[in-house]
Amino acid sequence: MGILGGVMVPHPPLIIPEIGKGEEKEIASTVEAYEEAMRFVASLQPETVIVSSPHTIMYRDFFHISPGRTASGDFRRFRAPAVRVKVTYDEELAEGICALCDRESFPAGFEGERDAALDHGTMIPLWFLKKYMPDVKVIRIGLSGYPLSMHYHLGEIVQKAADETGRRVAWIASGDLSHKLKEDGPYGLAPEGPRYDERIMDVMGEGNFEELLNFSDSFLEAAAECGHRSFTMMAGAFDGLAVEPRQLSHEGTFGVGYGVCTYQVTGEDPTRHFLKAWQDERKKALLEKRAREDIFIRIARKSLETYVENGRYLPFSKVRAMIEEEANDVEREELLTRRTGCFVSIHKEGSLRGCIGTIAPVRSCVAEEILRNAVSAAVRDPRFPEITSDELPYLEISVDVLGPTEKIDSPDWLDVKRYGVVVTKGQRRGLLLPNLEGVDTVEQQIAIAAQKAGLDTDEEDYSLERFEVVRHEAGK
């Protein structure tokens, strides 16, 4: 009982003959592998199939599990309205998954249903599977903007729910690979595209699921991948289990990667608790890195930890005592006598987890700016839920102390690595720090700062200012 196995499959609509109209023959290996993969799923004799899809409802801070008894969809978007797929959901198992999520305050559940219709990332694998299992029950799970580790953990929760209900469960991880494999492809070519496909097929083809957690967000974004979080979620469902992997095919004929693999569970394997091992290694590395944090970061960390754990600000008298005991003369003078704006940025697993700051000073000194902004970054950044105490060991913190701003007449005076930018029109003002990952051009920099100010860069009469920062981060 429990998790029996699973498959990794792509979802190109043209693989359906009524849509491809012969074009599917150009990816014949994928079609053949798809059929073999679904025969494999049927051979496991599951009562329920979990489908994780990048194209169902997705939220930045929530995993949506489709509610209800039945659902259906068709391919009218792809000019084949007569091709339909209908499913019956496994309500009992879905409710069991949600109950486990509620028990540990994990952000997943039935809420937020915007459209009950099946998405093509779900329908395409089920269209193939229903040839062999017309009546199998389904659970559909969406991805989220949360880190890869949380996708993996949701898979662990599903495994536990399957064990508790005694269900025989198979997993379909729906997802294409890179969308940037060819210059003449629909999304062009990026060097990360072919590298992603080679790396992911090696990982998935060998069942080395621990490596899934080591793909950086910036690499995944540059490769324009589709299914990585779906694959990672399935891997979590295999946590602690021995699996027999088989790679069936990999093609990139149209400039998008299509990979097909199967996985059969063969028993338990205590060496394959990959998330725990990854977290232990991460904690160790972060502790080593934390030892290199300077007094600016230590103030920010102590401030946010005090607030998250106790619900109150760290008294400034304790900050002053830290500075007197730990800072050198130059640091002491800057922290206690200088007045300027600063930003505190918090990252977790390589992803931004909060960033709040002040363009101009609003407190008595830099130390107090850091103390207050660290708390705001942790619990008041509207883009993210509040940081919780169990996240504290995994946070990386940086502090940017702003130099004076100077007006400039042209973007030509900017350099994204050296200067931050302030875009102003009337009372609206937006700032972007320099040297940020993913911001490679001045045009991008100005556009993001303008967006923060609620401006459109097509508007006229906005002014530009530039500034430099001193960035405090571990080891720098």
Side-chain angles (χ1 to χ4, degrees):
M1 299 297 183
I3 302 294
L4 307 170
V7 296
M8 159 188 160
V9 291
H11 45 244
L14 62 82
I15 205 170
I16 306 293
E18 289 86 344
I19 299 171
K21 300 185 185 304
E23 201 172 2
E24 70 276 8
K25 295 176 183 177
E26 296 187 44
I27 50 171
S29 293
T30 298
V31 176
E32 292 170 11
Y34 225 118
E35 296 283 5
E36 184 175 350
M38 293 310 159
R39 287 194 295 269
F40 165 76
V41 172
S43 75
L44 298 174
Q45 298 182 320
E47 298 167 277
T48 302
V49 168
I50 309 286
V51 182
S52 50
S53 170
H55 297 289
T56 186
I57 295 168
M58 179 174 174
Y59 292 100
R60 178 180 54 78
D61 57 356
F62 190 73
F63 294 88
H64 180 73
I65 300 171
S66 296
R69 189 175 65 85
T70 64
S72 62
D74 60 47
F75 289 94
R76 67 181 67 236
R77 278 184 57 205
F78 305 100
R79 300 182 300 281
V83 182
R84 298 184 56 82
V85 175
K86 183 176 181 179
V87 300
T88 299
Y89 286 137
D90 186 337
E91 295 177 272
E92 181 184 355
L93 180 55
E95 288 169 0
I97 295 168
C98 291
L100 287 175
C101 291
D102 288 344
R103 198 179 305 167
E104 60 176 89
S105 299
F106 187 88
F110 295 139
E111 295 85 358
E113 178 86 301
R114 297 194 302 265
D115 184 358
L118 297 177
D119 63 286
H120 75 276
T122 299
M123 288 191 292
I124 290 169
L126 292 181
W127 184 87
F128 280 90
L129 180 61
K130 280 181 170 289
K131 298 178 186 179
Y132 309 102
M133 300 194 75
D135 299 320
V136 68
K137 289 189 175 181
V138 171
I139 291 176
R140 180 172 58 146
I141 303 178
L143 313 182
S144 84
Y146 276 122
L148 294 171
S149 61
M150 292 187 66
H151 288 75
Y152 190 101
H153 184 50
L154 182 52
E156 292 179 306
I157 292 172
V158 172
Q159 182 196 115
K160 185 176 181 180
D163 289 339
E164 289 184 355
T165 57
R167 283 287 197 281
R168 296 175 58 85
V169 175
W171 196 295
I172 296 176
S174 177
D176 298 336
L177 308 185
S178 171
H179 283 62
K180 293 192 174 184
L181 297 183
K182 290 185 174 183
E183 288 281 7
D184 59 352
Y187 305 96
L189 172 68
E192 294 85 357
R195 293 211 311 269
Y196 175 80
D197 269 37
E198 180 180 2
R199 185 177 170 191
I200 194 65
M201 290 307 298
D202 180 61
V203 168
M204 298 302 289
E206 296 295 328
N208 295 327
F209 299 139
E210 70 274 24
E211 285 300 315
L212 288 168
L213 298 167
N214 292 324
F215 284 68
S216 70
D217 284 349
S218 58
F219 178 65
L220 295 176
E221 184 177 356
E225 58 76 31
C226 168
H228 195 90
R229 287 164 178 77
S230 180
F231 311 151
T232 304
M233 201 185 295
M234 176 177 69
F238 296 144
D239 190 74
L241 301 176
V243 296
E244 182 180 302
R246 267 189 81 208
Q247 179 176 322
L248 302 185
S249 71
H250 174 227
E251 292 187 289
T253 305
F254 302 112
V256 177
Y258 305 139
V260 181
C261 296
T262 66
Y263 306 93
Q264 180 154 12
V265 172
T266 58
E268 296 185 359
D269 186 341
T271 69
R272 292 177 66 85
H273 291 290
F274 295 132
L275 180 58
K276 183 181 185 304
W278 181 84
Q279 288 175 329
D280 288 346
E281 284 296 315
R282 183 120 184 116
K283 280 183 183 178
K284 180 180 176 182
L286 288 173
L287 283 173
E288 293 173 355
K289 193 171 183 180
R290 189 178 297 189
R292 302 192 297 274
E293 292 178 346
D294 67 12
I295 185 65
F296 292 79
I297 305 173
R298 292 199 296 275
I299 292 169
R301 186 179 293 281
K302 184 67 174 175
S303 176
L304 76 86
E305 287 180 345
T306 299
Y307 194 91
V308 169
E309 291 179 330
N310 303 309
R312 66 175 188 269
Y313 283 98
L314 180 68
F316 189 69
S317 60
K318 293 192 175 183
V319 174
R320 183 180 290 275
M322 285 178 63
I323 295 169
E324 294 295 343
E325 182 179 344
E326 302 175 25
N328 60 39
D329 291 343
V330 173
E331 292 170 334
R332 188 178 298 113
E333 182 177 358
E334 178 166 11
L335 286 164
L336 294 177
T337 65
R338 185 181 174 194
R339 296 188 71 236
T340 188
C342 82
F343 276 72
V344 175
S345 301
I346 305 169
H347 285 79
K348 179 184 175 185
E349 297 176 23
S351 298
L352 185 65
R353 188 63 182 83
C355 180
I356 294 288
T358 44
I359 299 176
V362 296
R363 303 292 173 184
S364 64
C365 60
V366 168
E368 192 175 5
E369 297 282 349
I370 295 172
L371 185 157
R372 294 283 174 163
N373 290 343
V375 171
S376 295
V379 301
R380 298 196 182 96
D381 189 328
R383 298 169 295 178
F384 305 98
E386 294 185 6
I387 285 173
T388 57
S389 58
D390 61 332
E391 294 180 89
L392 295 176
Y394 304 102
L395 302 181
E396 296 181 79
I397 301 170
S398 63
V399 176
D400 287 289
V401 180
L402 275 58
T405 61
E406 59 177 330
K407 290 188 176 181
I408 57 175
D409 297 326
S410 164
D412 294 340
W413 291 88
L414 290 172
D415 179 330
V416 293
K417 298 299 182 184
R418 179 179 177 183
Y419 296 111
V421 65
V422 180
V423 178
T424 305
K425 182 175 182 179
Q427 298 300 310
R428 292 182 288 176
R429 205 173 193 203
L431 174 147
L432 194 69
L433 297 169
N435 198 23
L436 297 179
E437 186 175 20
V439 181
D440 302 314
T441 68
V442 168
E443 290 75 20
Q444 284 178 294
Q445 189 183 40
I446 293 174
I448 296 170
Q451 184 181 39
K452 289 186 171 188
L455 298 171
D456 189 322
T457 49
D458 290 334
E459 294 185 40
E460 298 179 354
D461 300 328
Y462 64 83
S463 64
L464 296 175
E465 297 167 85
R466 71 179 185 180
F467 60 91
E468 293 185 274
V469 304
V470 175
R471 178 161 295 160
H472 298 265
E473 51 188 343
K476 300 294 179 68

